């Protein structure tokens, strides 16, 4: 108890204030102007920011005015100091932000209408709407600052998971940073410089020949859809509204939260949940991409039982359950309760996993139960 | 690199493989990646950042021809054509604007106005001092043998170091430098004494002194003159900086375009080591300082101090976000003083002659001197040491002989290219920051390129912007995209067909670049278009056929 209140006291003691848009607001040691602004629901735009990553300071949209500084400062990389007087918006700032948006959109449109170039299917990825949303907010139609376009899509990279559509890339390097800082895979990097920067891998290879583990983290942080979820895009034309259902990935013991995407009855993709307590937006290849089996045509449609000749033949549920019950009872009778051991599949829903352990514990008074995803 | 365990190993390793194989092969990158534990994707991306490193067979030895602003006037395009069969490539200003066109070939710099004329020429000495004032950095540079230890010692060399180490405290050295008014000569003009004090006061060790010898600013070639003719002055300045701040190691980060300078520095360092002026127990005291030379590989941005530090550390050379500044979080995140060659070369003379002496070298209120690299349409190009506050006209007309007969000066650049143009009545400026900043420019590193009335200023501006676009690191949006869009607009490859709309786009891009870019490159580049529109509205109008 004392420890907690001490800690709170220490924190309050180190807490001082800045003036944000005319109001005095407290902050904690180490907080950036962007973090404080967001806490106070200021709508400071960003494109290179992902709160899980080290602030990078590339897009410059987050600039704010601070008294005593000649130029606006990037709020994402500027830590608050006591007494700072900060404006998160002003006519000048909004003008710079609009110019920046026009510049960045022109990188993809070259000066033609924004449609198609930056307005992308949300199935591309979790954050794929960031650029087009901001372009709408700043009323950028794509036609100002005509000129060369940057980034070259890797049409040749035919891996089944990640579309590398760099024509839509704005070089925010969130993908490179998430791969390094969150995944620790260092599979991708920045090649060349200036307007010619391009996301690459070792020797500019395909992803499957690189250190990539296909975790999909880069796809899900990409603010433009330049990196896109190829599997989800299979259902771009499938009718129906896109629905999100929060669940937990069953594959392993970490328990990553995910949002399952569906259209009608069809599961079309997975988004990592940024607020998942176990994963905070992280996933691995299985949680991200391995869901096809659920609605796969090869799945059994009816129970199967083994005939006397050893062949599996279709059966009714009653037949199958009777056969299984008989087997369990015989084993229990002949060899005792510890002869029974159940392993639930990581591909089964959590509800099934729960039923299996209940069945073994309540039905046979045994704790011999496990799950293949205990890892 | 003389031993494999020296600090900052990536650049030397890359150069060693590059020299050995004439290119950087996949195998070389794999070996380096495994040795230094740098992820292969990162290493590959970083290698592509440096334009000198070739990835195709024979690429290292293909001639590089300077196509900087002054070499353009001298006909570098013809030289490039003439060497096309050898796979010649252009390189940005190679820092020899007072010489014929430089061509780097097989680890050697040749100069010439045509292919037949190409040969090795030594760095020109600064012209005999034309002024009535007194020099500091160049005071002894014209003495024969000055580059050797004996020649350096003949006029008081290393006495400042010896007496500081024996009789003075680090604090006293810093006080003298503070009192002298010496400010950074590499571009930003930060007071040197204050920088050193911050490093001395910062927690953490080992501390580092970095001599910024990247001299990438077009139109600047003054640092090479010092290094070639007075290398011990830099060594003495660095050891004094080490003593003052408590740093025990130093790097000289040298642009690759100066291969001869590398030899000269290595020789001077070896001499200083054997004379006990570097290493352990310097001058018989317990001060130690180790000095390493590291070569860049063709990236102007690596002259920006935080990009330089990333480059030394083997990281992708994007500039870092500041704060924290290098004085507390520099090389390997430890306290570091990054100083320009000229700044460091000023230190020993200041300590020998006193702070008051140095202050008094400037005109009026201004303290000290500044080296100016003067080139272009001027009779006597070269390096001049001017008292700060000297009228620009005095330098151009009296010291350097003015434009060619029958010509008049249309424009000069300031700070190399980073200060944009001065023209018209603003050529009456004096060479000091208050005067120049008042005209929307700055003195910076002190490169001044002269363009007479025969020159097409739109073409010059286009070349300048193309340089900034070529050298933008690509980290921040306003500079990465803005330099490209401004280049296109100056070439009229893209952008509005009507003059007013064109002007508005150029002004909007420039304003946002100046206000929001993450480093000095993106902030400086729009000074080109801003000053073009200010001084040469008619040329711009003519560009539109009006
Ligand atoms: C784009 C850019 C390029 C620079 N290039 C150089 C350079 O080549 N040499 C140099 O000394 N300083 C250069 N600087 C300035 C350095 O960042 C730094 O201010 C300087 O080295 C500090 O030394 P000083 O205080 O002695 O001038 C450059 C700055 C920028 C923004
Ligand atoms: S999928 Fe994962 S491992 Fe592969 S590049 Fe993206 S973040 Fe890196
Ligand atoms: S691919 Fe996406 S995340 Fe990566 S740099 Fe481009 S826009 Fe940013
Ligand atoms: S201003 Fe230009 S050079 Fe500097 S960080 Fe931004 S992109 Fe890089
Ligand atoms: S969020 Fe600050 S620069 Fe992008």
């Amino acid at each position: 108890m004392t420890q907690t209140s001490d800690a709170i006291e220490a924190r309050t003691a180190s807490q001082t204030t800045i003036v944000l848009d005319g109001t005095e607001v407290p902050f904690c040691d180490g907080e950036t102007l962007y973090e404080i602004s967001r806490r106070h629901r200021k709508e400071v735009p960003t494109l290179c920011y992902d709160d899980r990553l080290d602030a990078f300071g590339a897009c410059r949209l987050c600039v704010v005015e601070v008294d005593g500084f000649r130029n606006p400062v990037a709020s994402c990389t500027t830590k608050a100091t006591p007494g700072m007087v900060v404006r998160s918006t002003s006519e000048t700032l909004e003008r710079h932000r609009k110019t920046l948006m026009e510049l960045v959109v022109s990188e993809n449109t070259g000066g033609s209408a924004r449609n198609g170039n930056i307005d992308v299917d949300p199935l591309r990825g979790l954050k794929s709407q960031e650029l087009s949303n901001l372009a709408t907010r700043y009323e950028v139609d794509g036609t100002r600052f005509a000129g060369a376009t940057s980034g070259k899509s890797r049409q040749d990279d035919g891996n089944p998971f990640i579309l590398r559509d760099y024509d839509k890339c704005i070089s925010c390097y969130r993908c490179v940073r998430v791969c390094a800082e969150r995944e620790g895979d260092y599979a991708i990097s920045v090649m060349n410089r200036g307007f010619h920067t391009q996301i690459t891998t070792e020797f500019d290879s395909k992803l499957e020949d690189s250190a990539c583990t296909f975790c999909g983290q880069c796809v899900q942080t990409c603010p433009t859809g330049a990196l896109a979820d190829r599997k989800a895009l299979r259902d771009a034309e499938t009718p129906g509204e896109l629905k999100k259902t929060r669940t937990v990935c069953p594959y392993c013991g970490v328990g990553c939260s995910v949002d399952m995407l569906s259209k009608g009855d069809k599961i079309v993709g997975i988004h990592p949940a940024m607020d998942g307590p176990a994963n905070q937006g992280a996933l691995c290849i299985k949680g991200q991409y391995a869901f096809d089996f659920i609605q796969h045509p090869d799945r059994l449609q009816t129970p199967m039982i083994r005939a006397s000749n050893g062949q599996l033949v279709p059966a009714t549920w009653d037949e199958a359950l009777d056969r299984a019950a008989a087997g369990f009872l015989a084993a229990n009778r002949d060899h005792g309760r510890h002869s029974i051991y159940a392993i639930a599949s990581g591909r089964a829903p959590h509800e099934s996993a729960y039923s299996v352990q209940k069945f073994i514990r309540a039905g046979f008074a045994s704790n011999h139960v496990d799950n293949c995803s205990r890892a | 690199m003389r031993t494999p365990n020296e600090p900052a190993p990536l650049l030397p390793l890359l150069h060693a493989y590059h020299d050995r194989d004439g290119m950087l092969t996949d195998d070389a990158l794999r070996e380096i990646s495994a040795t230094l534990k740098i992820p292969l994707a990162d290493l590959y991306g970083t290698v592509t950042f440096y334009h000198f490193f070739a990835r195709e067979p024979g690429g290292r030895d293909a001639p590089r021809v300077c196509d900087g602003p002054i070499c353009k006037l001298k006909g570098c395009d013809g030289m490039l054509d003439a060497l096309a069969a050898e796979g010649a490539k252009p390189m940005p200003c190679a820092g020899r604007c007072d010489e014929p066109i430089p061509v780097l070939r097989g680890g050697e710099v040749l100069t010439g106005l045509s292919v037949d004329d190409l040969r090795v020429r030594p760095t020109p000495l600064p012209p005999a001092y034309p002024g009535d004032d007194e020099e500091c950095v160049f005071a002894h540079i014209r003495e024969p043998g000055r580059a050797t230890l004996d020649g350096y010692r003949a006029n008081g060399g290393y006495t400042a170091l010896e007496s500081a180490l024996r009789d003075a405290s680090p604090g006293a050295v810093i006080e003298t430098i503070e009192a002298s008014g010496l400010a950074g000569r590499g571009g930003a003009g930060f007071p040197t004494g204050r920088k050193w004090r911050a490093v001395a006061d910062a927690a953490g060790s080992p501390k580092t002194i970095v001599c910024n010898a990247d001299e990438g600013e077009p139109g600047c070639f003054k640092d090479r003159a010092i290094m070639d003719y007075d290398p011990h002055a830099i060594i003495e300045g660095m050891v004094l900086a080490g003593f003052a701040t408590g740093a025990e190691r130093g790097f000289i980060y040298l642009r690759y375009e100066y291969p001869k300078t590398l030899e000269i520095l290595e020789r001077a360092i070896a001499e200083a080591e054997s004379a006990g002026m570097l290493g352990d127990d310097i001058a018989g005291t317990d001060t130690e300082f180790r000095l390493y030379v590291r070569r860049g590989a063709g990236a102007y941005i690596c002259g920006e101090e935080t990009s330089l530090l990333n480059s030394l550390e083997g990281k992708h050379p994007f500039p870092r976000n500041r704060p924290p500044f290098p004085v507390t979080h520099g090389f390997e995140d430890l306290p570091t003083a990054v100083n320009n060659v000229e700044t460091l070369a000023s230190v020993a003379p200041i300590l020998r002659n006193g702070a008051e002496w140095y202050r008094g070298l400037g005109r009026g209120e201004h303290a000290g001197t500044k080296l100016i690299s003067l080139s272009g349409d001027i009779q006597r190009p070269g390096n001049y040491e001017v008292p700060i506050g000297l009228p620009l006209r005095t330098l151009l007309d009296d010291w350097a002989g003015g434009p060619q007969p029958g010509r008049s000066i249309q424009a000069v650049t300031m700070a190399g290219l980073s200060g944009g143009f001065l023209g018209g009545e603003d050529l009456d400026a004096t060479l000091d920051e208050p005067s120049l900043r008042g005209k929307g420019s700055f003195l910076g590193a002190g490169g001044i390129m002269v363009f007479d009335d025969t020159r097409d200023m739109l073409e010059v501006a286009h070349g300048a912007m193309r340089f900034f676009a070529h050298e933008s690191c690509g980290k921040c949006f306003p500079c990465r995209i803005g330099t490209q869009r401004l280049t296109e607009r100056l070439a009229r490859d893209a952008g509005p067909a009507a003059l007013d709309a064109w002007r508005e786009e150029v002004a909007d891009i420039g304003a946002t670049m100046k206000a929001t870019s993450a480093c000095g490159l993106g902030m400086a580049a729009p000074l080109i278009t801003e000053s073009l529109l200010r001084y040469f509205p008619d040329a711009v109008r003519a560009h539109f056929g009006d």
Side-chain angles (χ1 to χ4, degrees), chain A residues 47-48 55-61 63 70-72 77 95-96 99-100 103-104 106-107 110 143-149 170-173 176 186-197 200-204, chain B residues 26 29-30 39-42 44-46 48-51 55 298-299 316 318 321 323 469-478 480-482 484-485 488-489 494-495 504-505 508-509 511-512 514-518 523:
Chain A
L47 278 173
C48 70
F56 189 60
C59 71
R60 317 306 284 180
L61 284 163
V63 286
R70 196 164 44 96
N71 273 332
T77 58
R95 202 167 52 237
H96 288 315
T99 302
L100 286 169
L103 282 169
V104 73
S106 79
E107 225 190 343
T143 57
R144 206 159 182 237
F145 303 141
T149 55
I170 56 168
S171 299
C172 68
Y173 313 133
V176 173
Y186 299 89
I188 50 179
S189 63
V190 185
M191 182 168 129
N192 304 330
R193 61 190 193 206
F195 199 67
H196 304 286
T197 51
T200 190
T201 60
E202 56 196 67
F203 305 120
D204 210 16
Chain B
D26 288 5
L29 295 190
R30 282 183 212 284
L40 198 47
D42 282 3
Y44 174 77
T46 297
T48 65
F49 190 95
Y50 295 107
H51 284 192
R55 292 266 301 137
H316 201 76
F318 284 147
N321 297 313
H470 185 258
E471 299 301 326
S472 165
C473 77
K475 174 178 173 174
C476 76
F477 291 19
R480 188 187 74 232
I481 313 168
Q484 168 75 20
R485 291 291 177 257
E488 291 164 346
R489 269 139 196 78
E504 198 182 307
E505 280 204 6
D508 282 359
I509 295 171
T512 295
K514 264 173 96 168
T516 68
S517 288
M523 292 174 183

Side-chain angles (χ1 to χ4, degrees), chain B residues 129 131-139 180-186 189 192 222 226 340-347 349-350 353-373 384-390 399 431-433 443-446:
Chain B
Y129 188 57
D132 307 321
D133 305 79
E134 192 184 343
E135 292 176 309
C136 168
V137 177
F138 280 172
S180 75
L182 178 65
R185 301 301 187 219
T192 306
K222 50 146 186 125
I226 304 174
N340 173 254
V341 171
E342 180 187 345
T343 314
L344 289 163
S346 309
V347 168
I350 292 173
N353 299 311
E356 277 315 303
W357 168 80
Y358 186 74
R359 287 201 82 88
L361 295 181
R363 294 266 173 102
E365 303 282 276
H366 307 295
T369 65
K370 177 77 192 85
L371 299 186
I372 302 288
S373 298
Y384 294 91
E385 181 163 8
V386 304
I388 294 186
L390 185 79
W399 290 28
L431 294 168
D432 55 80
E433 294 298 4
L443 188 54

